[in-house]
Amino acid sequence: MASAKPSGCDHANAFIGPLDFLGRHDLIWEVPPARWLEGIPLANGDIGALMWGDGSPLRFTLDKYDAWECREKSFGDETYQDLRRMIEEGRNKEAEELLYVYRIYAEGPHPTRLPMPRFEIDFVRPFIWESGRLRLADATVDITGSMDGDPVRLQALVHANANALLIHLDGAAAKEARLRVGWDHLSDDAKEKLRDWDYPEPVVTAEADSGTWYLETPAGYEVAVAWARTFLDDGRGCLIRLALQSTADAPEPLEAAKRLSRVRTNFDGACGEHRAWWHAYWKRSHLTIPDTRLEALYYAEMYKLGCSSRPGKMPITLQGLWTLDGDLPPWSGEYGLDMNVQQAYWPIYTGNRLELGEPLYRVFSACIPRWREQCRQFFGFDGLWSGCCMGPGGERLFGYSGIELWPGNAAWLAHHYWLHYLYSQDEDFLVDQALPFIELAFLAYANLLESDEDGVLHVPLSTSPEWGEGSVDAFCRDPNCDLALIRFLARAIVQAYQTLGRQGPIGERANEVLDKLTDYMRDDNRLLVSAGTPLSHSHRHHSHLMAIHPLGTLTLDGSEGERDLIRRSLHDIRKKGTGEWTGWSYPWMSLIASRAGLGNMAWQMLDVYANGYITPNTFHINGDPRIFGLSLFEYEPMTLEAGFGAAAAIMEMLIQSYNGCIRLFPSIPDRWHYAHFAGLRAEGAFVVSARLAADEVLFVRVRSEAGKICRLKNPFQGGPAELVRVAPGFEQAVEKPPRLAGEVLEFETETGAEYLVYAEGRRPAANEMEPQPFPAEERFVNFYGKKRFSRF
């Protein structure tokens, strides 16, 4: 039996190592989270629990990634050529009728995340909340309070390696608390819709110290919750173990959940195994910057990332494992391939957590047969066409016609396959997964292109995601997003074929397309949305700037004309303003500004995002409901992708790698004179650490995982540098280290070896390379979490 005092996850033992400063970024709730949107998030990549309420009751909104309604509506026999003829002939009314099929959300059953039940703890007597703390290092919650002067302590975790929520309750509340699990909190609209879709009522059993909840959907999917309370030796403490199982876990989920809920374990022992997973996760990389609030946001987002994506599980949906409490989720909690999925996974590459992308590639590669058939059916040729909004098997969920009919959704997804190869240099992945996906995405575009009288290739009819809100007027010629995607796909194929020593017709076609594709659409040397269509007003989706980020087909490495095009395009964005942006627009624009070398703008985008577009627990809420005057959107639907984009944007200011070159501190704001990071990943499978002090780079450490040539943009004010191979302890004694010089420092590496680079004659001392978190700004310590008085 467990001891009465559950010390296994106490903060004093929470983390030993380079990230022991995580405690200053723990989220603290000085008052209870009264709303679901302000709750305490826990998850393990398969199940989630969002903790909220004041003890009358304390609620855990449960979630599971495979809980889906997957029935879908056919989208008819209309084709791309039908739509094109109607638009070319001015038959807009007919075109509108055709597009109606793709309007937001089909009648009848359609793919959507399913709401899961709540688990509730009612303390019976009035509970006085003292403090709640989400310990990032351990992924545990610790709540203290009292009832009639008697102390109460609650600790909780969603186990990293088992689909179980563990709650240790100490004090008088352990015996008195009433426990229940149910679905009766659903809104009337949700209940009516589920009844119309032939959903039965869940089967619920309840006893004083155990209970179950079971649902079988019309499609045969089963999901079950079972919980059991066991008392500790002292008679005051108890352990509550709640299990969540589905047909994805066991043939009989209810029996499996019962067995798992009855596992005899103590909180200390479970916490040890759970904590080991999280400590290994945190040790992969870290950073520290002279902006305590953004540093805190970074770690909160990386925590949620570790909660939201795990190998062997499902990819991140709009709300991850914290689907809306009490209702069907906004936008059906879907997979959205016109930005949401892509932005959600941006941090895994530089953040050195490549394994978190495994669900992305496995789940969407399984959709290739469906997407090839859809391409043949709608476009009439081979390639990949996914549509945009979908369920876990590619099931169609119709959103704006302009994004559903866009040919670029799968092509943008292909970029992540390519990033995984660039950052891992895994040629098996390139051959088996990345290249087949990229080739098919390229074929769709190559087959769509048409030549003009001069032999120049054009996209005859497409759209720019979310531009025109799905109207017929949104369909256009040569959208810049398509031109950028085509260039990326063709260049990736050419590079892959060169790497593999491969030849073939697809490679030849890629070269031909690169040679003949029309240039980017521009006016006054600024990027347009499409041919003849400027960015006429503020708009949330930066698709016309995809060439800058994320695709990197237009960079500062190019000609003076290309650099001017980037500058003028960003000037145009500033001129149009942010009035029609949503929250996720800001991290993306920060990344674009970073690629343009605009550090102050990159920082400002994130600062504004952190002010206006998140709740106290850091959930992104899309709109500006508190009216900071940032946007015309005043709603607050929660989606996760923007927060993950913000984490990626913070790293982008510290390190960038593209075009075969690593750049250090390339876009930090003027106010940052110090920064440090360790274990961040660069293209070429290099793991990099570096320190900036008083505006000077003290050192760079590079670990080579693939033995490639390392090219590093000279970070030492252009002066010469010295190179030392690092031994297991510290650098080897070298009387005269090799000298590097030039605008780009280039050196050969060996697989598994590590190298130290520093300004000539200025070798850093060992202690200068140790993690040294910057002194925190006191007002930003433990900044997030619900406070008695608003902090932002």
Side-chain angles (χ1 to χ4, degrees):
M1 298 291 287
S3 64
K5 179 176 170 48
S7 60
C9 285
D10 283 355
H11 182 56
N13 300 318
F15 200 92
I16 304 299
L19 289 180
D20 56 0
F21 64 92
L22 263 178
R24 75 188 192 187
H25 298 315
D26 288 347
L27 284 72
I28 292 180
W29 280 256
E30 296 175 351
V31 295
R35 298 197 303 156
W36 168 84
L37 266 176
E38 300 169 344
I40 306 175
L42 299 166
N44 69 359
D46 193 20
I47 71 168
L50 192 68
M51 184 176 177
W52 59 288
D54 61 0
S56 300
L58 186 65
R59 304 176 178 94
F60 294 81
T61 299
L62 304 176
D63 200 4
K64 197 170 193 306
Y65 259 151
D66 53 57
W68 275 88
E69 164 61 63
C70 286
R71 287 174 284 180
E72 60 184 320
K73 177 182 176 183
S74 170
F75 56 88
D77 299 326
E78 297 84 359
T79 68
Y80 174 82
Q81 294 301 333
D82 294 332
L83 177 63
R84 185 176 173 185
R85 278 194 299 271
M86 291 175 190
I87 292 175
E88 288 175 349
E89 295 170 5
R91 294 151 51 199
N92 284 6
K93 185 175 181 180
E94 290 180 63
E96 289 283 2
E97 291 174 357
L98 186 156
L99 296 179
Y100 182 78
V101 171
Y102 303 95
R103 295 296 184 189
I104 290 181
Y105 308 117
E107 295 298 324
H110 58 72
T112 182
R113 295 292 309 284
L114 293 173
M116 289 287 95
R118 282 183 191 162
F119 180 68
E120 297 184 349
I121 302 177
D122 191 337
F123 289 130
V124 183
R125 288 187 282 160
F127 175 71
I128 305 300
W129 180 290
E130 293 177 3
S131 180
R133 188 178 194 115
L134 173 58
R135 303 193 190 282
L136 296 178
D138 294 330
T140 60
V141 175
D142 196 341
I143 294 173
T144 57
S146 64
M147 299 190 318
D148 296 331
D150 294 329
V152 175
R153 185 185 186 192
L154 182 147
Q155 293 176 290
L157 61 87
V158 167
H159 199 284
N161 302 317
N163 281 354
L165 167 67
L166 274 66
I167 303 168
H168 183 280
L169 190 55
D170 199 32
K175 276 191 174 181
E176 297 180 17
R178 296 172 183 168
L179 313 179
R180 67 181 299 273
V181 62
W183 210 13
D184 53 4
H185 64 289
L186 291 187
S187 70
D188 290 341
D189 286 345
K191 290 177 181 177
E192 181 179 359
K193 182 169 286 188
L194 291 173
R195 280 195 300 268
D196 289 345
W197 294 358
D198 299 322
Y199 275 71
E201 288 293 321
V203 178
V204 180
T205 67
E207 299 179 9
D209 296 319
S210 64
T212 62
W213 180 95
Y214 169 78
L215 175 71
E216 181 176 3
T217 74
Y221 170 83
E222 301 173 53
V223 61
V225 175
W227 60 269
R229 169 169 51 182
T230 56
F231 292 96
L232 306 182
D233 288 339
D234 64 357
R236 287 175 58 82
C238 73
L239 180 69
I240 302 163
R241 187 177 180 99
L242 180 146
L244 182 52
Q245 297 279 282
S246 73
T247 43
D249 306 307
E252 297 182 353
L254 181 57
E255 293 306 311
K258 288 178 182 178
R259 288 193 298 271
L260 187 55
S261 71
R262 294 169 185 156
V263 172
R264 302 291 290 183
T265 185
N266 58 51
F267 195 81
D268 288 5
C271 188
E273 181 186 349
H274 165 84
R275 182 177 61 202
W277 189 96
W278 277 98
H279 287 188
Y281 173 80
W282 288 119
K283 289 178 181 178
R284 299 291 292 278
S285 65
H286 76 278
L287 59 83
T288 181
I289 54 178
D291 188 322
T292 306
R293 187 173 68 136
L294 285 187
E295 185 179 286
L297 181 64
Y298 171 80
Y299 284 107
E301 295 304 334
M302 295 305 286
Y303 163 76
K304 289 185 289 187
L305 184 65
C307 287
S308 299
S309 192
R310 302 279 180 89
K313 307 302 182 181
M314 299 295 293
I316 303 169
T317 57
L318 286 184
Q319 296 172 310
L321 286 161
W322 304 296
T323 302
L324 179 65
D325 180 86
D327 213 335
L328 295 172
W331 304 296
S332 295
E334 69 204 17
Y335 293 108
L337 298 189
D338 80 319
M339 174 281 301
N340 309 93
V341 168
Q342 289 87 344
Q343 188 167 156
Y345 279 93
W346 282 342
I348 71 172
Y349 304 103
T350 306
N352 196 19
R353 289 165 173 97
L354 297 184
E355 74 283 356
L356 301 188
E358 186 274 342
L360 192 75
Y361 317 123
R362 173 175 41 83
V363 168
F364 290 120
S365 287
C367 294
I368 287 176
R370 166 192 276 261
W371 292 350
R372 291 187 77 171
E373 179 56 33
Q374 287 178 181
C375 190
R376 294 187 192 102
Q377 181 180 350
F378 184 69
F379 286 101
F381 47 65
D382 196 18
L384 283 188
W385 181 57
S386 60
C388 176
C389 306
M390 64 188 62
E395 300 89 352
R396 298 298 296 274
L397 171 64
F398 300 107
Y400 289 124
S401 56
I403 56 174
E404 291 304 327
L405 300 182
W406 184 44
N409 292 294
W412 194 351
L413 190 61
H415 186 243
H416 279 273
Y417 286 71
W418 184 242
L419 288 174
H420 182 90
Y421 165 67
L422 290 179
Y423 281 79
S424 70
Q425 295 296 299
D426 183 344
E427 289 191 7
D428 289 337
F429 178 86
L430 176 64
V431 171
D432 297 337
Q433 296 193 62
L435 192 53
F437 199 99
I438 291 168
E439 287 176 330
L440 286 168
F442 168 73
L443 280 179
Y445 268 125
N447 290 330
L448 185 66
L449 292 170
E450 294 181 355
S451 297
D452 63 17
E453 59 274 12
D454 297 319
V456 177
L457 294 174
H458 297 269
V459 179
L461 184 72
S462 184
T463 186
S464 196
E466 304 193 21
W467 182 262
E469 310 297 345
S471 72
V472 169
D473 293 338
F475 287 86
C476 55
R477 178 179 171 88
D478 287 332
N480 269 327
C481 56
D482 287 338
L483 300 179
L485 281 166
I486 294 165
R487 281 188 170 84
F488 148 66
L489 293 166
R491 289 177 182 178
I493 290 170
V494 170
Q495 184 176 336
Y497 276 37
Q498 290 173 345
T499 298
L500 300 171
R502 180 180 294 189
Q503 295 179 339
I506 295 181
E508 293 170 4
R509 197 167 181 185
N511 275 307
E512 180 184 5
V513 166
L514 287 172
D515 184 53
K516 296 182 178 179
L517 185 65
T518 187
D519 198 0
Y520 292 113
M521 299 296 105
R522 66 185 79 189
D523 177 22
D524 194 26
N525 213 28
R526 58 184 177 168
L527 289 166
L528 303 178
V529 174
S530 60
T533 304
L535 183 72
S536 56
H537 58 278
S538 173
H539 191 252
R540 63 184 176 273
H541 202 293
H542 310 313
S543 53
H544 72 297
L545 302 180
M546 284 178 66
I548 304 171
H549 185 280
L551 301 178
T553 56
L554 187 62
T555 73
L556 296 179
D557 291 346
S559 65
E560 179 55 39
E562 290 172 324
R563 290 191 288 273
D564 184 62
L565 178 59
I566 293 171
R567 285 193 295 267
R568 286 179 178 269
S569 298
L570 270 291
H571 182 273
D572 194 37
I573 283 285
R574 299 196 299 274
K575 182 178 181 181
K576 298 303 188 297
T578 66
E580 296 186 45
W581 288 19
T582 49
W584 51 262
S585 307
Y586 290 85
W588 187 3
M589 185 51 65
S590 175
L591 286 153
I592 293 170
S594 275
R595 287 293 178 91
L598 303 177
N600 290 330
M601 182 177 176
W603 174 85
Q604 180 68 21
M605 291 292 109
L606 292 177
D607 191 64
V608 170
Y609 168 77
N611 274 323
Y613 290 94
I614 62 175
T615 54
N617 65 357
T618 72
F619 277 174
H620 161 243
I621 50 174
N622 277 272
D624 180 18
R626 293 186 290 160
I627 319 297
F628 285 93
L630 302 172
S631 172
L632 299 176
F633 296 103
E634 298 177 12
Y635 57 6
E636 53 177 7
M638 186 276 272
T639 59
L640 290 177
E641 73 289 303
F644 299 146
I650 290 169
M651 289 185 281
E652 193 79 7
M653 290 191 280
L654 303 179
I655 180 172
Q656 295 174 18
S657 58
Y658 56 86
N659 292 345
C661 187
I662 300 170
R663 299 151 177 84
L664 300 175
F665 309 106
S667 56
I668 58 173
D670 293 344
R671 66 183 68 195
W672 290 7
H673 309 293
Y674 298 83
H676 175 85
F677 64 84
L680 296 186
R681 182 174 286 267
E683 290 183 8
F686 297 110
V687 180
V688 184
S689 305
R691 180 183 297 279
L692 180 76
D695 294 333
E696 293 187 3
V697 176
L698 294 186
F699 71 89
V700 188
R701 290 182 73 148
V702 178
R703 186 174 78 248
S704 175
E705 291 188 349
K708 303 291 183 179
I709 293 175
C710 183
R711 301 178 71 247
L712 178 70
K713 186 173 181 180
N714 192 328
F716 305 114
Q717 285 80 46
E722 292 177 350
L723 174 71
V724 174
R725 180 164 175 170
V726 178
F730 190 51
E731 65 266 29
Q732 295 173 343
V734 178
E735 290 187 10
K736 191 173 182 181
R739 188 174 187 268
L740 304 175
E743 183 179 347
V744 175
L745 308 179
E746 184 173 305
F747 55 96
E748 294 184 353
T749 71
E750 295 181 11
T751 301
E754 188 168 351
Y755 302 86
L756 176 67
V757 186
Y758 52 88
E760 186 176 40
R762 299 180 63 183
R763 177 182 290 190
N767 64 348
E768 290 183 289
M769 295 192 290
E770 291 300 315
Q772 298 175 14
F774 300 112
E777 301 166 87
E778 187 61 33
R779 63 195 178 110
F780 295 131
V781 171
N782 302 122
F783 184 73
Y784 294 109
K786 184 72 173 175
K787 311 302 181 184
R788 289 184 177 84
F789 303 104
S790 179
R791 298 182 75 174
F792 67 99

